[in-house]
Amino acid sequence: MIGWSFLAAVLGILCWLAVAYGLGRPPRHGRLLGWSAVGSLWAVTAVVLAIRFFLGMGAMSHMSDRFPWGVWIGLLQSGVALSGGGFVMAATVHIFHLKRFEPILRPVVLLAFLGYTFVALTLFIEVGRPWALWHPLAMWQHHSIMFEVAWCVTLYFTVLATEFSPVIFERLGLPKAVSFIHAVAIPVVIAGVILSTLHQSSMGSMFLIVPQKMHPLWYSTLLPVFFFMSSVGVGLCVTVIASFYSARVFGKTLDRWMLADLARAASVLLFLYAAVRVVDVTARGVWGRLGDPAWLGALFLLEVVGGALLPAVFLSRRSTLERPRRMVWWGLPAIGGVVLNRLSVSWFAMVPYTGSGYVPHWMEVAVSFTLFTVVVTVFGLAVRYLPVFPKESSVVS
Amino acid sequence: MAPGVSRRSFLKGAVGAAAAAALPKTFAHAEGRVSKGDVFSVLVDLSRCIGCRSCMRACQRANDLNAPQEWMDIDHLDRRLDLTYNQWTVVNREGIEPSILRHVKRQCMHCLEPACVSVCPVAALAQTEQGPVIYRESRCIGCRYCMVACPFEVPRFEWNNGLTPVIGKCQFCAQERLFKGLPPGCSEACPTGALKFGKRSDLLFEAKTRLGSHPEKYVDHIFGEEEIGGTSWLYISDVPFEKLGFKTNLPKRPLPSLTWDVVSWIPGIAAVLASLFGVLAYSFSRKPHVPPGGAKKEDA
């Protein structure tokens, strides 16, 4: 109880500050308040992690033999999906040569890199034997989707680091290294796009093995397709939102026609995604399971209608596309929809079958939330100290 | 590496699987099975089990486990036991009415095409050629995907170990006894003949004989004969299985084929994407370059 109250307080302070800064009215001691909230969260999480690594996961999570994968898996999968902007924008700029999107490529690649760092850190904590995490690279079992995911994520992490490395090299004043990366940019980007396509969909394929455990509204042989499509759609939404807030917080000029193009593309993807979900449920004839149980049916509707269809409709309207703030407001439910989808697939849709009353321990939530604040902090530091945003003329990254 | 799986058999499996990837779907499916020929098997006759829990104690001894012993007696049948990482088999009283109370032994079913083996990214779970599905701690990364994938919810995790937790499940006494020519500890200890060890085809024949000779007594079903492609452990019962907590809605199709259908596509997808994007990137790059900054003004 004390733990949940603590989390709620930290979350409340940070949300309030985010809204206040977003509205352009930072409170007088906002910075101090924010850092003390984040600092105390990090201190508590350090203790939580000590418990995790000394006493085992049983001491700080509500996962059990009946429910071996908890909230971390869903959030990890959300992290992968939300990082989808990286490969979408890299393909747009370098493969389709739409060079006008180049100014936002660096921050988006950085975001994706940090998103995967979030995933890797979560994995390090979530896996029982983190010191053995390199095993899939050496001990092959190519029948396993997880094996494929491990390879793809590792390689893609390398690709993202390579794509972002010119920023570091520029800062260090190494023009030769920069031009070398530019020389190999196209193959690296193509490799990144392939790896992303494969493992974004594989995150869904992982659940193909549990046909009897997952609620039929979610279980479909098209899971890999759903995961891939939604990652592209939500990746574009994240790009819009990140560009908007970066421009606002770091005082950069905002090219809102570029944002509008991205939002329009996102709306097409989200609409297709919602349509395929609806067609899938219709084709399998499982609409009847909508009320069984009712709360799951409500989650499904919230996810497909509220998290994909409505944002798709509103992001395609002229009145939305003319105002960046509205694009942000309609991007947020799309992000929520995808996060809810990942949580549903890995958690909620399994509840009726497993009959487990799993609810995450506050310590589990604290760990994930800490990793999120770490990612945001590192992004802020990188933007401040590295040439992430182009100054005037856009530089090939 | 465990003695049960020699390097040669592992390589053979890898080569076979690689060959399977190249073959059309129907052949690939047949090649997915590691165990060749007739596998080791146990027939459980629930009508003969008296709930003495001798098998539980024998399992502890045979595998050098250290679960608390005090509840493993017939006197404590009112206490429900659950599988744990160091309790690989349990016997519980199942059923609601007194007339259908039976004692049901649970352990890993040792599927002929195990989902846990197919999902394990490091082959910590592996199927030996003689059938038993074994666990190799030295490979495990603790991802618990096996627990999610198992249709019988058998693998268990050591939740109170921070850095070296293990997955625990019945090994069929493979290395301790089977490969030395001994029957598994539990079936050797069973005093009533409720557990019968042998080759799967022999035991299927035996089960059908028992069902055929006493149709008035037995339920006409051998649990494990066809469930998710068949299991090495087979159950017959005189009380309907669904009343004893068995999962009776399991598909007959082996689960690994569900993901293999996708995994086997991956090299093809990668190749197609690589050539597609290669051609695209090349063709777009040949267009005259718009000077940086110029494009923005044109669009705006």
Side-chain angles (χ1 to χ4, degrees), chain A residues 51-59 61 63-70 72-73 91 94-97 99-100 103 126-137 139-148 150 186 190 193-194 197-198 202 205-213 219 221 224 255 257 261 350 353-354 392-394, chain B residues 10 13-14 17-18 21 32 82-85 115-123 135 137-145 147-153 155-166 247 249-251 255-256 258-260 262-263 266 269-270 273-274 277-278 280-281 284-285 289-290 292-293 295-296 299-300:
Chain A
I51 296 175
R52 148 77 187 84
F53 286 114
F54 284 105
L55 303 177
M57 261 182 269
S61 85
M63 286 185 272
S64 66
D65 286 330
R66 287 176 75 193
F67 208 84
W69 279 0
W72 286 338
I73 294 287
H94 284 298
I95 296 179
F96 299 107
H97 284 264
K99 293 287 180 189
R100 67 206 158 94
E126 198 272 342
V127 147
R129 301 165 154 241
W131 45 271
L133 260 180
W134 55 275
H135 280 186
L137 304 183
M139 304 172 183
W140 288 25
Q141 205 287 82
H142 71 275
H143 276 259
S144 168
I145 293 263
M146 189 84 99
F147 169 74
E148 190 239 327
I186 298 285
I190 292 179
V193 173
I194 294 170
T197 311
L198 289 179
S202 296
S205 314
M206 286 203 327
F207 291 94
L208 290 175
I209 199 83
V210 290
Q212 75 285 11
K213 291 189 185 178
Y219 186 86
T221 43
D255 181 351
W257 294 116
D261 284 346
M350 309 262 209
Y353 180 89
T354 58
E392 277 311 313
S393 65
S394 59
Chain B
F10 178 74
D82 207 359
L83 296 173
T84 61
Y85 77 95
C116 58
V117 170
S118 84
V119 300
C120 180
V122 290
Y135 169 71
E137 181 187 339
S138 59
R139 285 176 163 253
C140 182
I141 59 172
C143 69
R144 311 189 292 286
Y145 195 6
M147 303 172 74
V148 173
C150 176
F152 302 105
E153 288 157 53
R156 301 293 156 129
F157 186 70
E158 192 179 2
W159 292 100
N160 53 3
N161 185 333
L163 280 173
T164 54
V166 295
K247 295 178 192 309
N249 59 345
L250 291 172
L255 295 175
L258 290 168
T259 42
W260 181 241
V262 176
V263 177
I266 286 172
I269 294 175
L273 285 178
F277 284 126
L280 280 178
F284 281 118
S285 68
H289 257 292
V290 184
K296 219 192 293 182
D299 289 324

Side-chain angles (χ1 to χ4, degrees), chain B residues 30-42:
Chain B
E31 286 292 311
R33 187 178 286 199
V34 178
S35 54
K36 301 289 186 293
D38 213 358
V39 298
F40 286 129
S41 194
V42 171

Side-chain angles (χ1 to χ4, degrees), chain B residues 136-196:
Chain B
R136 298 177 286 180
E137 181 187 339
S138 59
R139 285 176 163 253
C140 182
I141 59 172
C143 69
R144 311 189 292 286
Y145 195 6
C146 50
M147 303 172 74
V148 173
C150 176
F152 302 105
E153 288 157 53
V154 166
R156 301 293 156 129
F157 186 70
E158 192 179 2
W159 292 100
N160 53 3
N161 185 333
L163 280 173
T164 54
V166 295
I167 294 286
K169 74 164 202 68
C170 162
Q171 311 273 329
F172 218 145
C173 290
Q175 278 128 47
E176 282 73 17
R177 301 177 60 91
L178 247 56
F179 297 151
K180 296 173 187 162
L182 297 167
C186 54
S187 75
E188 190 183 62
C190 181
T192 63
L195 303 177
K196 182 166 179 167

Side-chain angles (χ1 to χ4, degrees), chain B residues 40-44 89 105-112 170 172 184 186-187 195 200 222-225 230-235:
Chain B
F40 286 129
S41 194
V42 171
L43 174 64
V44 185
T89 185
K105 179 181 185 303
R106 279 198 73 194
Q107 74 294 309
C108 171
M109 298 290 285
H110 295 277
C111 308
L112 299 183
C170 162
F172 218 145
C186 54
S187 75
L195 303 177
R200 191 167 185 267
I222 303 171
F223 189 88
E225 184 183 11
T231 60
S232 297
W233 279 64
L234 303 164
Y235 285 73

Side-chain angles (χ1 to χ4, degrees), chain A residues 17 30-31 70 77 93 120 150 161 165 181 195 281 294 306 339 393-394:
Chain A
L17 286 176
R31 195 169 290 254
Q77 290 207 319
V93 171
S165 61
I181 299 288
L195 291 167
V281 171
V339 173
S393 65
S394 59

